[in-house]
Amino acid sequence: MDSVPVEKTFAVRGSSFREHVVLNDARFQSWHLKALKDIELRAVRGAVAYEDDLKSGEVDFLSLVEQYRKNVKRTKTRGKPRKPRLGEAVTDTTQTAENAKPDRSEITAAAGP
């Protein structure tokens, strides 16, 4: 693309950039449409593509499938286990209610002489 920097600047996230005047020709129009499509797809998030791009071969189908699998796998394993809430069932069956409490004699014996 052909462009010329101008005296104006703009800031994005703390960085300053110089504005350019761009020759609005067929190359720029093609790039601009592709850039808008890419931005639109990124807003959806994840591995997505336009059907026309897949049919034309512009986007590699198999690499997109692999990327999609990784995204799905990551979302399934993302959450960490939470602590059980009061009143929820406890799945540990190694201890029953009867042997959960120590006898009085065990308490005093463990406390010392």
Side-chain angles (χ1 to χ4, degrees):
M1 279 179 283
D2 298 320
S3 67
V4 177
V6 293
E7 76 280 355
K8 294 182 181 179
T9 61
F10 62 96
V12 176
R13 297 183 182 161
S15 297
S16 181
F17 298 93
R18 183 170 298 280
E19 289 191 21
H20 285 71
V21 175
V22 179
L23 180 62
N24 193 0
D25 59 356
R27 279 188 344 180
F28 173 77
Q29 289 295 324
S30 173
W31 171 85
H32 187 248
L33 289 174
K34 183 176 180 339
L36 290 176
K37 284 173 66 174
D38 290 344
I39 290 169
E40 183 181 331
L41 287 179
R42 276 192 225 117
V44 175
R45 302 217 190 278
V48 294
Y50 289 102
E51 185 178 1
D52 294 341
D53 292 341
L54 289 170
K55 286 180 179 178
S56 70
E58 188 175 328
V59 175
D60 182 28
F61 179 77
L62 296 178
S63 66
L64 197 62
V65 166
E66 187 60 33
Q67 183 182 356
Y68 180 69
R69 283 185 184 147
K70 287 177 184 176
N71 288 345
V72 170
K73 189 179 212 179
R74 187 173 357 147
T75 57
K76 285 184 181 178
T77 60
R78 188 175 289 176
K80 64 179 184 178
R82 63 176 178 79
K83 293 181 182 176
R85 294 185 182 143
L86 186 62
E88 288 184 338
V90 177
T91 58
D92 184 16
T93 58
T94 59
Q95 212 175 29
T96 61
E98 292 81 32
N99 64 8
K101 293 183 181 180
D103 291 333
R104 192 65 129 157
S105 61
E106 292 178 46
I107 294 174
T108 54

